[in-house]
Amino acid sequence: MNIGIIGAGKIARKMANTVNALDGFNAYAIASRSLEKAIAFKEEYHFEKAYGSYEDLAKDPNVDLVYIATPHSEHYKNMLLCLKYKKPVICEKILTTSSKQTEEIYGLFEQNNVFLLEAMWCAFMPLRDIINGLLNEKIIGDVVRMEGYFKTSLMHVERVKNRSLGGGAAMDIGLYPISFALRTFGFNPDKIEIKELRKNNDVDEYEVVEMTYGNIKAISIADASVDGDCDIRIFGSKGKIIIDKVTGAKSVSIFDLDGNLIRVIDCECPLGGFEYELIASRKAIEDNKLETAQWTHENSIQLARIIDKIVYSD
């Protein structure tokens, strides 16, 4: 499968490394608004083609799947461009800057029978099955609480501090613990509350979101103003589970109620984690599906609606 990448930044480089290491995928084309930058990317990551315009890549008949790695604010128009040429797309998260746009773009791709995926890579990793299995066997008893943390200093980064680029903590890092809770406990919580919210020049930099599922409280804490914890903690009547990293987790540790370590499960991904969403996307496309089972269009829309509550809160 020939992969084309739109955007030549940091996240595109990670995807390029994955494509080069994964059987059945070919690093075919890279596009940047700067041809010079595209050529440099092509040479470094061994792509076949370099384009100085996104449209040139989108209309290349040899591109089988486009990965969009531009800023949040550019995603919607980049996806429309790919749709014009009926190209299947994996678009970086967050898919768009509003749930309204997210619903619209999925509707357009569905009407035109073209595959589209929000690149929620954590939904595809082996960790998902590991956690489901542990909770189903009640290794920590009945779950009562989840706490998801993502704290990293980003308010100096343009894409985060600039509202016009889709800035803010929620769209950049908060979606990780929120989406983990949704995938673990369900996409329709009984209640969603923004418990704390701090803004910086009209951009959210810190928020605490509480989702209620019966007797279970799922808490997401995102802070783009300071470096700190970036893990997931699930508490039950018989112990707790600690997932060492909210993105790209390497291990899951299980403790009893006294804090004694019972078991450690290795879940490190050999190629970094992007490989699973690529494989799932290829299978869906080959099966003439418009979405993957692991992260559906409706899942993406539900997440976007929660993010809206944070970003557009007064």
Side-chain angles (χ1 to χ4, degrees), residues 62-279:
N62 293 315
V63 172
D64 299 316
L65 175 63
V66 178
Y67 173 68
I68 295 174
T70 55
H72 307 324
S73 56
E74 302 298 301
H75 290 174
Y76 187 81
K77 67 181 181 182
N78 294 158
M79 287 186 283
L80 285 179
L81 178 61
C82 292
L83 183 60
K84 177 181 176 181
Y85 296 99
K86 300 296 178 72
K87 294 297 186 186
V89 169
I90 299 176
C91 181
E92 255 312 314
K93 69 204 108 43
I94 194 164
L95 194 75
T96 76
T97 55
S98 74
S99 60
K100 182 176 183 292
Q101 278 194 336
T102 295
E103 291 183 57
E104 287 175 353
I105 200 68
Y106 278 132
L108 290 170
F109 270 74
E110 288 167 4
Q111 289 166 22
N112 285 275
N113 202 37
V114 180
F115 174 86
L116 175 60
L117 171 69
E118 181 179 31
M120 192 59 66
W121 60 302
C122 296
F124 298 84
M125 297 163 78
L127 173 66
R128 181 73 264 149
D129 290 336
I130 291 171
I131 295 301
N132 289 347
L134 292 173
L135 296 184
N136 287 338
E137 68 181 73
K138 291 185 177 290
I139 195 165
I140 59 168
D142 294 322
V143 174
V144 295
R145 184 178 176 89
M146 185 211 95
E147 296 173 2
Y149 297 86
F150 203 146
K151 299 181 180 182
T152 185
S153 180
L154 291 172
M155 293 309 294
H156 61 287
V157 178
E158 192 64 28
R159 74 168 194 277
V160 180
K161 70 180 183 180
N162 191 330
R163 179 69 178 266
S164 67
L165 296 178
M171 289 189 182
D172 207 84
I173 58 176
L175 54 79
Y176 283 103
I178 290 172
S179 67
F180 184 93
L182 295 174
R183 297 194 310 274
T184 304
F185 304 112
F187 283 84
N188 292 289
D190 300 327
K191 185 190 296 184
I192 302 168
E193 296 180 89
I194 313 302
K195 290 293 190 178
E196 296 182 52
L197 178 62
R198 185 176 72 238
K199 293 198 174 186
N200 184 338
N201 292 326
D202 202 35
V203 171
D204 62 288
E205 68 174 8
Y206 172 81
E207 57 257 356
V208 178
V209 181
E210 181 181 273
M211 290 159 279
T212 302
Y213 298 86
N215 295 323
I216 299 172
K217 299 289 187 182
I219 317 295
S220 167
I221 301 99
D223 191 342
S225 69
V226 65
D227 292 325
D229 296 330
C230 292
D231 60 2
I232 299 284
R233 308 165 193 178
I234 304 174
F235 302 90
S237 58
K238 295 181 180 179
K240 64 182 177 181
I241 295 171
I242 305 294
I243 301 159
D244 70 332
K245 194 175 181 183
V246 69
T247 62
K250 295 182 178 180
S251 67
V252 176
S253 300
I254 305 160
F255 299 84
D256 65 20
L257 283 176
D258 295 322
N260 299 309
L261 180 63
I262 299 171
R263 183 179 168 196
V264 177
I265 303 171
D266 175 36
C267 58
E268 187 167 6
C269 301
L271 301 182
F274 279 12
E275 63 268 33
Y276 301 105
E277 67 182 0
L278 279 172
I279 293 168

Side-chain angles (χ1 to χ4, degrees), residues 39-53:
I39 290 171
F41 191 104
K42 167 184 174 289
E43 296 301 317
E44 182 175 357
Y45 294 97
H46 313 294
F47 278 64
E48 296 178 26
K49 301 281 186 179
Y51 292 115
S53 108

